[in-house]
Amino acid sequence: MSHPVRSAPGTRTGRPWGLNGSHHRAALGVFMVIVLAHWAEHLTQAYQIWALGWKPPQARGVLGMPFPWLISSEWLHYGYAAVMLFFLFLLRPGFVGRSRTWWTVALAVQFWHHIEHLLLLIQSQSGHFLAGRAVPTSILQLVLPRVELHLFYNTVVFLPMVIAMYYHLRPSRAESLDMACSCRPLPA
């Protein structure tokens, strides 16, 4: 038995307009390209350190090689953390059920990651460093080196995002009835 698409007022397709409506799938696609490009930078840096034996200051990823100031720019790192937080929050209303739960997990972890980057930014701007360190240091960086910590953060934000995307693009029958975005499967 097929269920009719619930009609939203003022729409021709029965789906609302905007990033959580008719443009949700495209917005998620663009966001994931940005996230994967960021992952590529971190994985390249990890490869440079552990496979090529480079010291962390020389392992600058792909963009950091021609633009070395990028790797040490706390503004850039904070900006990316803030953009991630913003888009995780902005795209959340398009998710329902299990996918929304997992997307919210990614959002919560990214919120903390953003706080850590804000702390690093404040230290770099003020010249006062946490725990008497010689460089800006985040709270979890007191126990994990920075490269490993950022691989950890990227993993614990990315994995729930992937699970959320899986459930979002393959919703249960009940979840698909609650979906109002362009990702909703067409009725059979």
Side-chain angles (χ1 to χ4, degrees):
M1 176 175 162
S2 91
H3 294 278
V5 173
R6 293 182 186 173
S7 180
T11 65
R12 285 184 236 155
T13 63
R15 293 187 177 138
W17 293 95
L19 289 182
N20 290 300
S22 61
H23 301 294
H24 197 241
R25 183 180 289 268
L28 286 172
V30 169
F31 182 53
M32 290 309 286
V33 166
I34 293 167
V35 170
L36 291 172
H38 184 244
W39 252 116
E41 282 292 325
H42 280 286
L43 292 176
T44 300
Q45 185 183 34
Y47 179 79
Q48 290 167 338
I49 292 169
W50 294 309
L52 300 177
W54 296 5
K55 300 285 184 207
Q58 286 75 43
R60 297 187 297 258
V62 176
L63 291 176
M65 296 309 288
F67 308 106
W69 59 270
L70 282 176
I71 199 77
S72 60
S73 169
E74 291 301 342
W75 278 107
L76 177 77
H77 293 284
Y78 175 75
Y80 180 78
V83 164
M84 280 285 296
L85 182 63
F86 176 75
F87 279 100
L88 284 165
F89 179 76
L90 184 70
L91 295 170
R92 185 173 174 264
F95 289 86
V96 299
R98 298 169 298 171
S99 67
R100 186 178 180 106
T101 299
W102 284 102
W103 196 260
T104 302
V105 169
L107 174 65
V109 175
Q110 183 60 28
F111 178 77
W112 174 253
H113 188 194
H114 158 266
I115 296 297
E116 291 265 88
H117 275 292
L118 180 60
L119 178 61
L120 290 167
L121 179 64
I122 291 168
Q123 291 174 69
S124 74
Q125 297 303 298
S126 69
H128 298 286
F129 306 131
L130 188 65
R133 299 278 178 104
V135 295
T137 305
S138 69
I139 293 170
L140 288 182
Q141 200 176 335
L142 294 170
V143 293
L144 282 174
R146 188 164 180 157
V147 172
E148 289 85 347
L149 178 59
H150 279 86
L151 285 172
F152 169 76
Y153 271 133
N154 282 298
T155 301
V156 298
V157 172
F158 185 67
L159 288 179
M161 283 176 63
V162 168
I163 295 168
M165 292 288 289
Y166 177 83
Y167 283 133
H168 186 65
L169 297 174
R170 292 163 186 79
S172 69
R173 185 178 194 95
E175 289 168 338
S176 72
L177 292 175
D178 291 334
M179 291 174 75
C181 72
S182 58
C183 305
R184 179 182 177 176
L186 296 174

